[in-house]
Amino acid sequence: MMSELSSFKEKLCRALSLRQEELAPLVWGWLYIFSLLCAYYILRPIRDTISTVIGAHSLPWLFTAVLVTMLLLQWPYNKLSQRLPRERFISYSYQGCALIIGGFALGFYYLGGLHNLFLGRAFFIWVSVFNLFAVSVFWALIVDIFDSERGKRLFGLLAAAATLGAIAGSGLTSLIARHLSTSVLLLIAVGLIQVSVFSAQRLSHKGRQLTHTTQEKSVSPSTQGGLTPLLIGIRQTFASPYLLGICGYILFYSITSTLIYFQQATIVQHAFLGDTQRTTFFANVDLAINLLTLLCQLTASGKIISRLGVAIGLASLPIVSFIGFGWLGAAPSLTVLVGVTILRRTMNFALARPSREILFTVVPTAEKYHAKVFIDTLIYRAGDQVGAWSYQAVSLLGIAALPLTLFSMLLAAIWAGLSIGLGHAQKRKAEIPVSHDKPLHSDYEKKQQ
């Protein structure tokens, strides 16, 4: 039995281009992100349903509320990350999220369900914050465990697990939503988050063995120069041209995503009259995107990034966006929208997102947990604001579609140039050993040692 298991592991490692010591961390990383995304894709349809109850006219204000909420949460997030060891911080954070989901489950059960506007707005805002926070924490742990060389080979496989989780969560919700209440769906999400917590702990443990460290890392170093953790993340970002470049990449992605989202809403509104037809359309598009993304991630993502480099992985998305905006501007039809949406989102999940995470493998540990979360959350949501209110202004002023198309294509062209520069910068940094901050430990751990 043991020999058969060992033979299976060897065959699996060869098939996935893995080394033996990488298999266990990869498996726990798979389970971690699979269960996390499965939970999120149970929460997401509930959030989107609430948006239809609240009304589209309220969405820009809700996006603004999401940004404000993330600003308010940055201080406690960074304070906890500063004081707690890595495993304990991740566990406490996710358990806190699970507790909040349980609270919403009780609220929806006793206070009128999704039509309670106050509770519905609060849920919409919280899920939008939870998504970026939870995924950012996952990738912060991943880039702390896997170096640049491993990242090029393995991040595509981890992104595939996220896609499988998205398929499983949305598929499960589609099957059981008609038979179970919203509160029960939320409790299922709570259970999946518990799986994520356990997997994160095992991943962190196996990661220490992989990197040959014997002591548990703190999530981030202590406060520098008397600054609050939030200001440290901002200072780190604005002091580094490399991190500012990543900020620019995130902003371009977020702004263009919002612009195409509003065009999508307009086209679909005219193409379908009933809500059920629109829901079916979006579900079919999501299914096509996730299946195509999974196929790319399992067969091509790692090979493309490893052989062609991070620069090509990053630039693939703005290049597709440039072509897509031009195509959509010339022929704003439902067929073109479907093609552009599928290609763009598939390229993001299969190539751009793994390449973007590789950018952080060559920065010090402090920047992975302070600056990275600041970029992945606040900068991302700031891009949402620019895109949403820009489109709102264009609509109110009655500006023609052609200038908006040209503006979108210009953004994509600049974005592509930035992508090439970031890819070359990452390659140069990868050739130089990263000057990681000296791991710090809590007073409790020092006493135990």
Side-chain angles (χ1 to χ4, degrees):
M1 179 66 71
M2 293 299 295
S3 61
E4 292 178 359
L5 180 60
S6 177
S7 176
F8 173 75
K9 288 182 178 179
E10 290 178 3
K11 292 179 180 178
L12 183 61
C13 288
R14 283 198 300 270
L16 299 177
S17 301
L18 297 177
R19 303 184 184 106
Q20 284 280 349
E21 68 273 12
E22 296 170 344
L23 183 58
L26 181 65
V27 168
W28 287 114
W30 258 64
L31 186 57
Y32 178 3
I33 191 61
F34 175 88
S35 54
L36 185 64
L37 264 292
C38 190
Y40 170 66
Y41 273 84
I42 291 175
L43 302 176
R44 177 180 171 130
I46 299 172
R47 182 199 66 177
D48 292 343
T49 301
I50 289 173
S51 71
T52 64
V53 175
I54 295 172
H57 62 281
S58 299
L59 290 180
W61 295 104
L62 286 177
F63 284 143
T64 301
V66 169
L67 177 62
V68 172
T69 302
M70 298 190 81
L71 280 169
L72 295 175
L73 290 178
Q74 278 291 307
W75 185 85
Y77 169 87
N78 282 300
K79 203 68 176 178
L80 286 174
S81 70
Q82 171 195 347
R83 294 180 178 274
L84 295 176
R86 183 172 68 189
E87 291 179 12
R88 210 180 307 166
F89 167 76
I90 293 174
S91 177
Y92 289 177
S93 299
Y94 284 146
Q95 295 291 11
C97 291
L99 186 63
I100 293 173
I101 295 173
F104 277 116
L106 291 175
F108 286 135
Y109 184 79
Y110 288 107
L111 300 177
L114 301 183
H115 288 270
N116 184 313
L117 293 182
F118 175 79
L119 199 60
R121 290 188 179 103
F123 186 81
F124 183 98
I125 294 168
W126 183 83
V127 171
S128 300
V129 173
F130 166 78
N131 174 35
L132 289 181
F133 158 78
V135 175
S136 179
V137 168
F138 165 78
W139 282 109
L141 176 60
I142 290 298
V143 300
D144 206 19
I145 290 175
F146 297 106
D147 58 21
S148 179
E149 186 275 329
R150 286 191 171 109
K152 291 178 181 179
R153 290 185 292 106
L154 304 180
F155 283 7
L157 295 173
L158 289 168
T163 304
L164 283 172
I167 294 172
S170 56
L172 179 65
T173 305
S174 177
L175 288 173
I176 66 177
R178 298 176 183 177
H179 310 290
L180 299 176
S181 67
T182 298
S183 297
V184 174
L185 290 174
L186 294 181
L187 292 179
I188 294 174
V190 169
L192 288 166
I193 289 176
Q194 302 307 312
V195 177
S196 296
V197 171
F198 178 76
S199 302
Q201 292 172 342
R202 298 302 301 162
L203 172 61
S204 184
H205 174 70
K206 294 296 183 181
R208 287 200 300 274
Q209 296 177 353
L210 184 65
T211 55
H212 305 292
T213 58
T214 58
Q215 296 176 328
E216 184 182 23
K217 288 183 180 180
S218 298
V219 173
S220 61
S222 60
T223 303
Q224 305 169 18
L227 294 175
T228 65
L230 173 59
L231 292 180
I232 292 174
I234 296 174
R235 189 182 69 173
Q236 289 171 342
T237 301
F238 283 89
S240 169
Y242 183 71
L243 292 177
L244 284 175
I246 298 176
C247 277
Y249 191 94
I250 297 292
L251 280 173
F252 281 121
Y253 169 67
S254 182
I255 292 170
T256 54
S257 294
T258 305
L259 290 174
I260 203 169
Y261 177 82
F262 277 95
Q263 292 184 60
Q264 171 183 279
T266 302
I267 292 174
V268 172
Q269 183 181 22
H270 290 89
F272 300 104
L273 297 178
D275 292 339
T276 302
Q277 290 178 305
R278 294 171 187 171
T279 302
T280 302
F281 166 78
F282 286 126
N284 290 335
V285 170
D286 284 341
L287 181 60
I289 290 168
N290 286 325
L291 291 175
L292 184 58
T293 298
L294 180 62
L295 178 64
C296 292
Q297 289 169 335
L298 291 177
T299 60
S301 295
K303 294 178 181 178
I304 291 175
I305 296 173
S306 296
R307 294 177 184 177
L308 300 182
V310 175
I312 298 300
L314 292 171
S316 60
L317 182 56
I319 291 172
V320 167
S321 299
F322 180 86
I323 298 171
F325 278 121
W327 189 16
L328 197 56
S333 66
L334 184 65
T335 302
V336 174
L337 171 68
V338 170
V340 172
T341 301
I342 290 176
L343 286 176
R344 191 175 188 274
R345 289 179 59 188
T346 299
M347 199 65 65
N348 176 51
F349 294 136
L351 289 178
R353 181 62 191 262
S355 299
R356 199 170 80 213
E357 299 305 333
I358 291 173
L359 295 176
F360 286 98
T361 62
V362 294
V363 301
T365 300
E367 295 175 4
K368 292 175 185 176
Y369 284 96
H370 281 153
K372 185 181 189 305
V373 173
F374 165 68
I375 293 171
D376 283 351
T377 55
L378 294 181
I379 295 297
Y380 185 97
R381 287 307 179 194
D384 282 348
Q385 300 302 304
V386 174
W389 290 108
S390 295
Y391 198 94
Q392 191 85 339
V394 167
S395 300
L396 292 175
L397 294 174
I399 298 176
L402 180 60
L404 181 62
T405 298
L406 295 177
F407 173 67
S408 301
M409 294 177 69
L410 176 62
L411 288 179
I414 299 172
W415 184 16
L418 175 63
S419 301
I420 299 298
L422 275 174
H424 290 317
Q426 189 278 336
K427 184 177 181 180
R428 290 194 300 269
K429 286 178 174 289
E431 296 171 353
I432 304 172
V434 181
S435 178
H436 288 287
D437 299 292
K438 183 179 179 181
L440 300 177
H441 308 278
S442 66
D443 293 337
Y444 172 79
E445 290 176 302
K446 291 179 179 177
K447 290 177 183 178
Q448 296 301 309
Q449 296 168 9

